[in-house]
Amino acid sequence: MSRYFTKDHEWVDVTGDVGTVGISDYAQGQLGDVVFVDVPEAGKQLTKGADAAVVESVKAASDVYSPVSGTVTEGNAALADDSSLVNSAPETDGWFFKLTLSDPSELDSLMDEAAYASFVEGL
């Protein structure tokens, strides 16, 4: 499994041609307490960089962008019952959706964990 990050603070874990997407710990910290998450339904086609989900916190509502293109296979149903998973476990149980990658070469434009850590330090 490999993890990649965007400059918009989404992450994607990739195993084979399946990606699991969420927002980084840094992003959840900036949002504050998450009160609602709207994740895409299975079958939805997503394009890299396009709106994929919405997260609402006590501070603001924010769009979550798809880090890669593909077809959604599963939205995280647990977030409907407990959106605070995004705060307590943003990079594990608080994932947003899974998708089948349509163009794995898109991963080449994303950051690895070390590059993302350096990016966040510069903010």
Side-chain angles (χ1 to χ4, degrees):
M1 177 175 68
S2 297
R3 178 169 283 196
Y4 302 88
F5 291 86
T6 71
K7 289 183 177 180
D8 292 320
H9 308 289
E10 292 90 9
W11 55 263
V12 56
D13 280 343
V14 179
T15 302
D17 66 346
V18 176
T20 303
V21 177
I23 63 171
S24 69
D25 185 57
Y26 175 83
Q28 71 79 24
Q30 294 297 305
L31 285 167
D33 292 336
V34 173
V35 295
F36 176 77
V37 179
D38 183 30
V39 298
E41 294 182 12
K44 184 171 183 176
Q45 300 288 320
L46 297 175
T47 302
K48 180 181 178 181
D51 296 351
V54 175
V55 58
E56 293 181 17
S57 70
V58 293
K59 292 182 178 178
S62 300
D63 291 326
V64 175
Y65 307 106
S66 184
V68 291
S69 300
T71 303
V72 175
T73 58
E74 178 182 2
N76 187 352
L79 294 179
D81 295 330
D82 185 7
S83 59
S84 70
L85 282 172
V86 176
N87 291 118
S88 63
E91 298 188 16
T92 54
D93 294 339
W95 58 275
F96 282 34
F97 59 91
K98 296 182 180 194
L99 78 169
T100 302
L101 280 65
S102 62
D103 184 1
S105 70
E106 292 176 340
L107 296 169
D108 295 341
S109 64
L110 301 177
M111 294 178 276
D112 63 17
E113 290 187 58
Y116 180 72
S118 178
F119 171 72
V120 169
E121 283 180 14
L123 297 178

